[in-house]
Amino acid sequence: ADAKACREVLDTLRLYRERLGYPSTMGLSNISFGLPNRPLINSTFFAMCLAGGLDAPIMNPYDERMQDALMASRALLGEDPNGIEFSKVAANLAAPKKAAVAKTTDLPILEAIKQAVIDGEKDEIAGLVTRALAEGHEGNEITEKALTAAMNDIGVDFGAGKIFLPQVLLSAETMRAAFDKLKELIPAAATADKGTVVIATVKGDVHDLGKNITGALLANSGFKLVDLGKDVPAEDIVRAAIEHDADIVGLCALMTTTMVQIDKVIQQLHDAGARAKVMVGGAAVTQDYADAAGADAYASDGVKAVKLAKAIVGKE
Ligand code: B12
């Protein structure tokens, strides 16, 4: 085989596209003539040509390796947004029935919201949330029964290897869009007189959906909220607690690897003489862990977090 052939073809494809801009077609399998494992060479070459701008390959459409290369290339080149099709096929999942519209309009509204989050229907979600509120559902109910419930199901499927990160990300974005809409329609309590809460997801951890929910529920219940975001170093949390004279520091951790940051923050708050009580949460955290770390409170969900926060500051 000519060691320069592949590069020549790729350069030609690029120049052809840049100078002429016409669609291109070509046969692929000659490249592997005389080489061992021709399917491997062909599919690799195919992927390179797709990246180089090839539009219409001449190939055996029933060759599984070529199909795989096409599918993976489309995901990598952004032609399969978020790699959704790739993830479904790669996981050997049956393609979902494309009846999302029927699904979300036929289901009771909370179910429809849950399903839309699971399916990553980012553009539909705000309308569904608005409808749920118009039908008389409360923000907390939508949050717990639809949004959190959807993410819990996603967590189970993700853990079981049935869905993959691109799908989880899309669902997370959908959940964020839903939540933004909720916050817009149910503004924070007019008076924030219950006390100050500094909230953050700990260093090394980018999970912030649950922290955002908990923070918004606290803000809706009359707490002044200082949200430091995600992946926040212990030092920044301690500094903010002192600067804002926080009554409560809320820490969120979702991974076993980042939970240890809770211990660190508690230790540093103590060393700095901060008066704030520490309330912790997040999927990985348990009551036992919270107790061992010396936290003042643990809440498994945002609604409980609000109750505990009120008890901490002694205000209903
Ligand atoms: C969504 C998600 C993501 C999204 C996060 C998007 C975002 N902006 O948050 C993305 C795709 C980015 C992601 C990335 C990763 N993830 Co992830 N992710 C999840 C998933 C599926 C759901 C989490 C979620 O949002 N749940 C819904 C919310 C509402 O629940 P929650 O956060 O627990 O919050 C509730 C309560 O805990 C509580 N609460 C939350 N915060 C707080 C704070 C306070 C103060 C209080 C009191 C209460 C409280 O109230 C909330 C409900 O009201 C979980 C699975 C699961 N079962 O949790 C995995 C999971 C957490 N992820 C996991 C992993 C491993 C990762 C990655 C390392 C994957 C990878 N290979 O790259 C990366 C990590 C990146 C990083 N450095 O952080 C593992 C962690 C395993 C472990 N035990 O350590 C899990 C458990 C999945 C699994 N089974 O493997 N992930």
Side-chain angles (χ1 to χ4, degrees):
D2 183 349
K4 294 199 185 115
C6 174
R7 283 191 185 282
E8 278 294 335
V9 173
L10 296 177
D11 286 343
T12 309
L13 275 173
R14 186 176 47 79
L15 285 172
Y16 184 73
R17 169 150 297 234
E18 278 172 14
R19 304 246 170 108
L20 299 174
Y22 296 137
S24 53
T25 182
M26 65 182 243
L28 293 165
S29 54
N30 280 354
I31 193 81
S32 62
F33 188 71
L35 293 177
N37 202 342
R38 292 190 68 181
L40 173 61
I41 296 288
N42 289 348
S43 57
T44 307
F45 182 51
F46 178 33
M48 290 173 164
C49 290
L50 286 172
L54 175 63
D55 296 288
I58 300 169
M59 59 177 244
N60 175 4
Y62 297 109
D63 184 330
E64 268 181 25
R65 205 155 190 163
M66 297 297 252
Q67 284 177 15
D68 288 353
L70 176 63
M71 203 170 57
S73 298
R74 293 191 71 239
L76 290 170
L77 294 172
E79 288 159 14
D80 168 13
N82 299 299
I84 295 300
E85 286 309 317
F86 173 78
S87 298
K88 278 176 203 152
V89 180
N92 278 333
L93 290 181
K97 288 161 213 89
K98 203 52 196 144
V101 176
K103 254 192 281 173
T104 43
T105 45
D106 294 350
L107 290 170
I109 189 65
L110 293 183
E111 274 298 306
I113 293 177
K114 183 177 167 192
Q115 196 56 49
V117 172
I118 290 173
D119 291 343
E121 306 280 357
K122 230 182 352 177
D123 300 333
E124 269 184 49
I125 197 78
L128 291 171
V129 168
T130 311
R131 211 178 97 203
L133 288 169
E135 285 183 19
H137 294 283
E138 299 225 338
N140 283 0
E141 196 190 1
I142 298 171
T143 304
E144 290 299 313
K145 293 195 181 149
L147 303 181
T148 307
M151 289 316 285
N152 286 342
D153 283 9
I154 287 162
V156 171
D157 281 354
F158 182 56
K162 289 190 195 158
I163 59 168
F164 297 86
L165 268 182
Q167 288 154 295
V168 178
L169 262 179
L170 195 59
S171 291
E173 280 172 30
T174 309
M175 170 147 173
R176 188 182 299 277
F179 205 64
D180 286 349
K181 194 72 201 172
L182 265 182
K183 279 206 292 195
E184 182 193 315
L185 297 175
I186 316 176
T191 48
D193 57 358
K194 293 222 167 56
T196 300
V197 181
V198 165
I199 199 166
T201 299
V202 296
K203 186 172 180 214
D205 203 321
V206 304
H207 298 88
D208 66 354
L209 298 172
K211 185 263 299 165
N212 293 347
I213 290 178
T214 305
L217 291 176
L218 286 164
N220 281 332
S221 309
F223 286 89
K224 179 178 169 235
L225 190 77
V226 181
D227 188 343
L228 304 179
K230 59 196 171 186
D231 190 15
V232 186
E235 297 71 27
D236 294 3
I237 300 173
V238 174
R239 198 177 312 120
I242 290 172
E243 194 181 307
H244 295 278
D245 191 25
D247 297 280
I248 298 172
V249 167
L251 299 176
C252 170
L254 261 84
M255 299 193 291
T256 36
T257 46
T258 56
M259 259 182 356
V260 287
Q261 286 289 327
I262 290 177
D263 304 60
K264 197 170 166 185
V265 176
I266 291 176
Q267 184 61 50
Q268 289 193 15
L269 280 170
H270 184 78
D271 293 349
R275 70 176 186 90
K277 300 282 184 202
V278 178
M279 182 164 69
V280 297
V285 186
T286 59
Q287 181 72 58
D288 284 352
Y289 191 90
D291 292 344
D296 300 289
Y298 158 77
S300 58
D301 62 63
V303 177
K304 285 190 193 128
V306 171
K307 276 195 197 129
L308 287 170
K310 285 179 179 169
I312 288 174
V313 296
K315 293 182 187 163
E316 232 331 285

